[in-house]
Amino acid sequence: MFEKEGLKLQTLIVVAHPNIADSPTQQFLKASLPDADVIWHDLSSEGQFDRQRELHLLAQADRIIFQFPFYWYSAPFILKKWQDEVFGGEQGQYQFLAGKQLALVVSLGQSLARYQSGGSEHYAMSELLRPYQAFADKLGWHYRAPLLISHFAYSTEVEKQALLIRYQQFLTMDDPTNFAAQGDWLVAQLEKMATAHPTQAANVSLVSEQLTTQLEQYRDLIWQVSQIKQGEKD
Amino acid sequence: MFEKEGLKLQTLIVVAHPNIADSPTQQFLKASLPDADVIWHDLSSEGQFDRQRELHLLAQADRIIFQFPFYWYSAPFILKKWQDEVFGGEQGQYQFLAGKQLALVVSLGQSLARYQSGGSEHYAMSELLRPYQAFADKLGWHYRAPLLISHFAYSTEVEKQALLIRYQQFLTMDDPTNFAAQGDWLVAQLEKMATAHPTQAANVSLVSEQLTTQLEQYRDLIWQVSQIKQGEKD
């Protein structure tokens, strides 16, 4: 799943937070990073960004994540500082970065339901995040649906475990909303787990086999439905 | 027109630009400021903002203008730094600032026609500026239609004079799109001109009188139309 012409997909996580050490959400996400090729890039720098160094980092990545808490309907200012300083001048000069993915991981202090027409925040997240979408469009980057984390502080342990899986999938999968791809991802994780924990291998393998069987049944079902539809057309 | 319970309306212009001295647009706007109570507040500060000082400035103003060039679909980072640092913590504590107006003056390197569905910038300015609208909503400020200045560098002298008037009206009028109010504003300006330049007073008064007559006819026309509509209902 991480393969692309024989090379692993690199994910660059650009983290914009005024104080990552004091943020339970950012600390949780940092501890949840997958083993895959992921670079955690904290923007908490003083002074100007080193433009060449930042562009070099971006050039190496296939997937770029902007990760931040939602302050006044956008990222903390440090992300805009980074955008302004790294992407100055003529837009054509960034052609060598075209074709990358941009995905946002945004943590919200409010519940998501408030962000809609008629909700107390009035506007949908899709609208409020338009400047980032337009940024991606302009650079020829593919803008993906964001991962929105609301009310992390009130999450139960089970919800946190679910978030960990969603986050890892988000960082490493091209389409985390695809059900079968999610299943494949889980099977791959379980196989890794079995190798890492030999004493648990038998249990883990059992779960993995059941999941594999279910995924086969799911794909078979999709195939049958497609055949029926084909028949209707004839 | 500037009166409100006997006090003049204060306009606070919060200017966010990395280098105002080198910006022909910002220099032109600065030179175009009306005599009325307007504070030009340049954010080009180093280090943290003095929160109490900024809140004090805001408290004195009835109308707040965010003035900036459009960099990557929002203001240069310094405005977000100001928002983050001045408006931290609990939102309820800013209740004493409720009821103010927020208006944006945005200069664009692209023509306005590009900012729409099907245009090369894909999104309307109304969409891209949503974060500022949501900011105003949250603080209980009245968000006004922005003044958008595109391609200032290619403006003719006549276009620049027109912009000067539009800008002055924008800073001092509650509804700069109201035709009759624009006329009243012009008459007031002409009367000021006549006082300031006694040798030209006769000419200026002539223009002013003609304009006043036209405005009276315009208002009479609106009254007649309203009477006709009334009649239709009876």
Side-chain angles (χ1 to χ4, degrees):
Chain A
M1 192 174 333
F2 309 111
E3 307 296 315
K4 185 184 125 185
E5 294 170 13
L7 290 166
K8 288 210 177 188
L9 269 190
Q10 281 267 13
T11 299
L12 176 69
I13 310 175
V14 179
V15 191
H17 193 289
N19 193 348
I20 289 180
D22 279 357
S23 161
T25 313
Q26 296 304 324
Q27 289 302 325
F28 178 84
L29 295 177
K30 195 171 184 180
S32 307
L33 291 183
D35 310 330
D37 290 39
V38 169
I39 300 164
W40 176 273
H41 182 36
D42 173 1
L43 292 190
S44 58
S45 95
E46 290 298 312
Q48 280 222 317
F49 287 104
D50 180 340
R51 204 164 159 265
Q52 289 311 317
R53 182 175 168 270
E54 299 299 319
L55 289 174
H56 186 68
L57 264 174
L58 287 163
Q60 289 178 296
D62 300 281
R63 184 181 288 130
I64 294 145
I65 311 277
F66 287 174
Q67 181 171 305
F68 54 84
F70 211 40
Y71 286 179
W72 291 117
Y73 310 102
S74 63
F77 79 88
I78 195 76
L79 182 62
K80 188 69 205 311
K81 185 169 191 278
W82 180 86
Q83 287 178 288
D84 287 354
E85 290 175 3
V86 176
F87 294 92
E90 288 301 312
Q91 280 154 355
Q93 68 182 293
Y94 305 109
Q95 191 56 42
F96 74 101
L97 294 175
K100 301 190 183 294
Q101 289 183 11
L102 179 68
L104 312 181
V105 174
V106 186
S107 53
L108 305 166
Q110 310 272 17
S111 87
L112 248 180
R114 294 188 174 207
Y115 293 92
Q116 59 178 314
S117 303
S120 63
E121 298 291 341
H122 303 308
Y123 309 107
M125 286 301 291
S126 288
E127 289 176 83
L128 294 166
L129 297 173
R130 281 275 192 273
Y132 299 105
Q133 188 176 3
F135 175 77
D137 287 353
K138 184 59 98 185
L139 290 170
W141 295 1
H142 172 61
Y143 182 77
R144 280 174 39 184
L147 174 63
L148 305 172
I149 304 168
S150 68
H151 280 314
F152 176 80
Y154 308 116
S155 298
T156 63
E157 272 315 304
V158 171
E159 286 166 342
K160 283 184 183 170
Q161 285 311 305
L163 172 60
L164 184 148
I165 291 172
R166 274 207 302 153
Y167 183 58
Q168 292 196 350
Q169 291 183 336
F170 191 81
L171 295 183
T172 55
M173 290 172 62
D174 276 337
D175 181 7
T177 60
N178 182 298
F179 179 78
Q182 281 182 344
D184 288 337
W185 184 90
L186 276 174
V187 169
Q189 297 300 310
L190 289 167
E191 279 164 13
K192 270 194 215 164
M193 251 166 92
T195 314
H197 306 283
T199 57
Q200 295 295 316
N203 286 334
V204 172
S205 285
L206 192 67
V207 175
S208 174
E209 272 165 37
Q210 286 177 349
L211 197 56
T212 306
T213 308
Q214 281 174 11
L215 281 167
E216 276 164 14
Q217 286 172 355
Y218 173 75
R219 288 202 165 89
D220 190 48
L221 208 61
I222 287 182
W223 184 81
Q224 286 180 35
V225 169
S226 75
Q227 290 303 102
I228 292 165
K229 284 188 178 165
Q230 196 85 40
E232 282 172 354
K233 279 184 207 151
D234 293 341
Chain B
M1 193 172 335
F2 308 112
E3 306 298 314
K4 185 185 125 182
E5 292 169 15
L7 290 166
K8 290 211 177 188
L9 269 190
Q10 281 267 12
T11 300
L12 175 69
I13 311 176
V14 179
V15 191
H17 193 288
N19 193 347
I20 289 178
D22 279 357
S23 162
T25 313
Q26 296 304 324
Q27 289 302 324
F28 178 84
L29 295 177
K30 196 171 182 180
S32 306
L33 292 182
D35 310 331
D37 291 40
V38 169
I39 300 164
W40 176 274
H41 182 36
D42 173 1
L43 292 190
S44 58
S45 93
E46 292 298 313
Q48 279 221 319
F49 288 102
D50 180 339
R51 204 164 158 264
Q52 288 311 317
R53 182 174 169 269
E54 300 298 319
L55 289 174
H56 186 68
L57 265 174
L58 286 163
Q60 288 178 299
D62 300 282
R63 184 180 286 130
I64 293 145
I65 311 275
F66 287 173
Q67 181 172 305
F68 55 83
F70 212 40
Y71 287 179
W72 291 118
Y73 310 101
S74 64
F77 79 87
I78 195 77
L79 183 62
K80 188 68 205 310
K81 185 169 190 280
W82 180 86
Q83 287 177 286
D84 287 354
E85 290 175 3
V86 177
F87 294 93
E90 288 301 310
Q91 281 154 354
Q93 69 182 292
Y94 304 110
Q95 191 56 40
F96 73 101
L97 295 175
K100 300 190 183 293
Q101 289 182 11
L102 178 69
L104 311 182
V105 174
V106 186
S107 54
L108 305 166
Q110 311 271 17
S111 88
L112 247 181
R114 293 188 176 209
Y115 293 91
Q116 58 177 314
S117 301
S120 63
E121 298 292 341
H122 303 308
Y123 309 106
M125 287 301 290
S126 288
E127 289 176 83
L128 293 167
L129 297 173
R130 281 275 193 274
Y132 299 106
Q133 188 175 2
F135 175 77
D137 287 352
K138 184 59 96 184
L139 290 169
W141 294 2
H142 171 61
Y143 181 77
R144 281 177 40 186
L147 175 62
L148 305 173
I149 304 170
S150 68
H151 281 314
F152 176 80
Y154 308 117
S155 298
T156 63
E157 272 314 306
V158 172
E159 285 167 342
K160 283 182 185 172
Q161 285 311 305
L163 172 61
L164 184 148
I165 291 172
R166 274 206 301 154
Y167 183 59
Q168 291 196 351
Q169 291 183 336
F170 192 82
L171 296 181
T172 57
M173 290 170 63
D174 275 338
D175 181 7
T177 60
N178 182 298
F179 179 79
Q182 280 181 346
D184 288 337
W185 184 89
L186 275 174
V187 169
Q189 295 303 307
L190 287 167
E191 278 163 12
K192 269 193 216 165
M193 250 166 92
T195 315
H197 306 283
T199 57
Q200 294 295 316
N203 285 335
V204 171
S205 286
L206 192 65
V207 175
S208 176
E209 273 166 33
Q210 285 176 350
L211 198 56
T212 306
T213 309
Q214 282 172 11
L215 281 167
E216 276 165 13
Q217 287 172 355
Y218 172 76
R219 288 203 165 87
D220 190 48
L221 208 61
I222 287 181
W223 184 81
Q224 286 180 36
V225 169
S226 76
Q227 289 305 101
I228 291 166
K229 283 188 179 163
Q230 197 85 40
E232 282 172 354
K233 278 186 211 150
D234 292 344

